[in-house]
Amino acid sequence: MFTPCIFLTLFLGVVQSQFPRSCTTSSALESKTCCPLWTDDSPCGSQSGRGECRNVVVFTPLAAGRVRQYDDDRLDWPRFYYESTCKCFGNYSGYNCGQCKYGYTGDKCERQNTVIRKEIRQLSFLERKKFFSYLALAKTTKSTDYVILTTGDRHHRDTYRFVDASIYDIFAWIHYYSMKPILENGTFDASFNYAHQGPAFPGWHRLGLMFLEREIQLLTGDENFGIPYYDWRGENNCSICSNELLGESNEQGFLDDGSHFAFWKSICSGYNYADAYCQTAGDKCQMERLHRKPGSDPRVKRFPSFQDVEDTLKWKDFDRFPYDSTSRRSFRNALEGFLKPSDGLTLERSMHNAVHVYFGGTMSQVPISSNDPIFLLHHSYVDKIFEAWLQRYNATPDKYPNNDEDGQGPNECATPYFPCYRNKDFLTSCSNFGYKYSKYQEM
Ligand SMILES: *[C@@H]1O[C@H](CO)[C@@H](O)[C@H](O)[C@H]1NC(C)=O
Ligand SMILES: *[C@@H]1O[C@H](CO)[C@@H](O)[C@H](O)[C@H]1NC(C)=O
Ligand SMILES: *[C@@H]1O[C@H](CO)[C@@H](O)[C@H](O)[C@H]1NC(C)=O
């Protein structure tokens, strides 16, 4: 039933992305400049010493083992769209240097702030209530800072069309967009992407959660908000899939009417639909309620065990050649879940990937899985394992490998975020980004 949409999309060559709203004016697009005025009326707050507008530094992918001719708009992000962006100084950050670096707060970003991410079952009644109401607010509040690009032809500026989206949907879309097939010589290749199947995977998802966590902190004024995690080790079934927590599923597999997210709609319900909100593609592409069928997929009958997590952590190399889904003895590939953690050699579904499949429904279609908020809890736990590995081996950015996966080089920008965060810079403890994990079940 989804097939017609997929074909349509491949032929139209559709692109969608999220952009700073103030960088989507025709003058910004024509001049390829994304240096918005800050409140002092200077680009990037330069009058106030917050930052400056400068040419995008082009980071050449180091290993050019696979020589390719790219048409893809995301390569060398964000150069296709912008040649000048803000470079922020000191503790300032953000697409316009109007925000603080992760972990800093205050008007001059002079104060450090650390939030604790807790296991969802450790939250007090009040903390839980806050979590669900904050998410409801993020799902329904239009983002003032960002818009989504939806257009039929990525090569012609005149055809770009930008649409509003809620804060949660901007987040969901960033993930979706990173996974769209890559355009090469006029055809699309879906076999690799910018956020998965390579060394960028843990850091890319870390940034995604930090982005949403910060947006929710700003939206609610609650600087102490941290995204909870779901420690699924050894679970026999999804014990948090109750209506008090992440929601039960009904017989059709949709979230139960009595659950918090029952009436949430996915920004897109299929793999690669043509329009941001599927408004133009007719009945076939309507936005759908979230669905989930934990434990019903015969391919994955259980969550990863305590031992699986221990085994994953024993691989001391962050990643190994060929730096993709076939890498062996690679912590990253075991964590991502293409590799059996215990032997580090057998290529089989495990860990992160297995949990996506276990949940079924929206979560099992990885590109759109970010629509289901259980994605946040799952990835927060994956990030906790990443953090345990970083601490165990005292990892530093120089351990991030050169590789020729698209957009996954150490010095390339995590695609498609604004501003630029280099992939290698995530190989550092999360306390440097202003958050920590609670202890739960001895980890
Ligand atoms: C950034 O914040 C830290 C910690 O509060 C502070 O010591 C430092 O001076 C700040 N840096 C700048 C450049 O303002
Ligand atoms: C794309 O085009 C380049 C240059 O013409 C060529 O070298 C390369 O093999 C092509 N790639 C594919 C996948 O067709
Ligand atoms: C989930 O597993 C627990 C034991 O681990 C059991 O008590 C509970 O009944 C199970 N729930 C469902 C819905 O199967």
Side-chain angles (χ1 to χ4, degrees):
M1 138 193 181
F2 292 152
T3 315
C5 293
I6 293 170
F7 275 92
L8 188 68
T9 308
L10 292 181
F11 287 121
L12 288 176
V14 166
V15 58
Q16 295 99 351
S17 180
Q18 70 306 309
F19 284 77
R21 187 183 292 273
S22 47
C23 298
T24 59
T25 60
S26 47
S27 69
L29 291 167
E30 269 156 37
S31 62
K32 297 183 87 174
T33 300
C34 181
C35 293
L37 302 182
W38 187 60
T39 54
D40 64 358
D41 276 339
S42 66
C44 314
S46 57
Q47 288 296 321
S48 313
R50 296 180 77 98
E52 68 181 9
C53 187
R54 54 106 210 232
N55 283 343
V56 173
V57 178
V58 178
F59 300 108
T60 313
L62 282 161
R66 198 167 57 198
V67 181
R68 327 182 77 208
Q69 180 184 311
Y70 287 97
D71 313 315
D72 197 75
D73 61 316
R74 294 160 297 180
L75 198 80
D76 271 338
W77 182 260
R79 196 168 58 143
F80 184 89
Y81 296 98
Y82 303 110
E83 282 169 356
S84 299
T85 56
C86 289
K87 174 174 172 51
C88 309
F89 304 137
N91 295 342
Y92 298 114
S93 186
Y95 66 87
N96 62 355
C97 303
Q99 289 191 350
C100 303
K101 276 188 183 163
Y102 289 109
Y104 293 90
T105 184
D107 290 344
K108 297 204 150 53
C109 303
E110 71 290 353
R111 266 191 305 121
Q112 279 181 297
N113 185 44
T114 300
V115 305
I116 307 295
R117 292 187 183 168
K118 296 182 186 163
E119 218 280 344
I120 180 108
R121 289 162 289 187
Q122 291 179 313
L123 298 184
S124 67
F125 178 73
L126 188 64
E127 286 170 329
R128 255 191 223 177
K129 279 200 87 103
K130 275 191 195 166
F131 174 55
F132 293 113
S133 56
Y134 290 176
L135 281 182
L137 200 59
K139 183 69 178 178
T140 51
T141 307
K142 182 172 99 178
S143 172
T144 51
D145 285 345
Y146 297 96
V147 290
I148 287 170
L149 169 62
T150 166
T151 178
D153 182 346
R154 64 177 60 168
H155 293 111
H156 294 99
R157 251 187 262 120
D158 323 344
T159 69
Y160 292 173
R161 192 160 56 85
F162 295 95
V163 299
D164 288 325
S166 74
I167 287 165
Y168 188 91
D169 287 350
I170 296 278
F171 162 79
W173 198 266
I174 289 172
H175 185 259
Y176 176 71
Y177 176 59
S178 79
M179 289 198 76
K180 290 172 74 67
I182 291 177
L183 181 62
E184 185 189 357
N185 294 356
T187 54
F188 287 95
D189 186 342
S191 60
F192 49 97
N193 65 71
Y194 294 92
H196 301 79
Q197 298 175 45
F201 168 77
W204 192 100
H205 289 80
R206 169 169 278 196
L207 181 56
L209 295 194
M210 296 195 310
F211 171 83
L212 183 64
E213 195 169 70
R214 168 67 67 85
E215 288 288 310
I216 290 178
Q217 289 167 354
L218 294 171
L219 174 68
T220 60
D222 182 353
E223 278 188 356
N224 295 316
F225 169 72
I227 293 174
Y229 59 91
Y230 174 34
D231 181 344
W232 32 245
R233 284 176 299 169
E235 288 265 280
N236 288 324
N237 50 51
C238 176
S239 64
I240 65 165
C241 294
S242 60
N243 281 353
E244 294 73 52
L245 295 174
L246 274 293
E248 290 165 25
S249 309
N250 67 20
E251 269 153 31
Q252 294 84 47
F254 292 108
L255 289 192
D256 186 83
D257 281 2
S259 65
H260 296 285
F261 309 114
F263 301 103
W264 280 40
K265 296 270 178 74
S266 294
I267 45 170
C268 244
S269 37
Y271 191 102
N272 199 14
Y273 282 169
D275 191 66
Y277 291 92
C278 305
Q279 287 156 336
T280 57
D283 305 344
K284 293 188 202 76
C285 295
Q286 279 177 359
M287 290 165 62
E288 271 181 6
R289 284 172 65 171
L290 300 175
H291 44 127
R292 217 189 274 152
K293 283 192 163 177
S296 66
D297 190 315
R299 293 173 299 168
V300 177
K301 294 310 285 178
R302 62 170 185 93
F303 283 98
S305 64
F306 284 76
Q307 190 62 45
D308 289 332
V309 173
E310 251 329 294
D311 287 339
T312 299
L313 287 168
K314 80 184 176 196
W315 301 108
K316 72 174 191 313
D317 287 341
F318 173 66
D319 207 350
R320 288 173 70 106
F321 183 81
Y323 306 110
D324 60 18
S325 61
T326 66
S327 295
R328 292 183 162 89
R329 300 174 181 281
S330 149
F331 163 72
R332 188 276 311 162
N333 207 29
L335 177 67
E336 188 170 359
F338 293 103
L339 186 63
K340 186 175 182 173
S342 57
D343 67 12
L345 295 172
T346 312
L347 298 176
E348 70 175 29
R349 187 182 289 103
S350 63
M351 296 291 286
H352 155 267
N353 288 343
V355 173
H356 273 280
V357 172
Y358 179 90
F359 283 123
T362 309
M363 272 293 274
S364 65
Q365 295 171 272
V366 175
I368 61 160
S369 57
S370 44
N371 282 292
D372 183 343
I374 211 166
F375 175 99
L376 302 175
L377 279 74
H378 173 39
H379 271 282
S380 188
Y381 188 59
V382 169
D383 188 65
K384 186 181 180 186
I385 301 170
F386 176 41
E387 180 64 19
W389 183 89
L390 290 167
Q391 291 185 14
R392 186 179 295 191
Y393 301 104
N394 288 316
T396 45
D398 59 306
K399 296 288 181 338
Y400 190 101
N402 292 335
N403 69 91
D404 59 8
E405 295 303 299
D406 300 289
Q408 302 202 25
N411 294 310
E412 290 183 89
C413 306
T415 308
Y417 294 98
F418 289 94
C420 175
Y421 293 91
R422 293 184 303 180
N423 291 317
K424 69 177 182 188
D425 290 338
F426 295 102
L427 285 202
T428 185
S429 167
C430 61
S431 57
N432 297 320
F433 297 114
Y435 69 93
K436 291 182 174 168
Y437 286 99
S438 67
K439 197 170 159 123
Y440 185 78
Q441 294 186 342
E442 300 306 310
M443 188 183 120

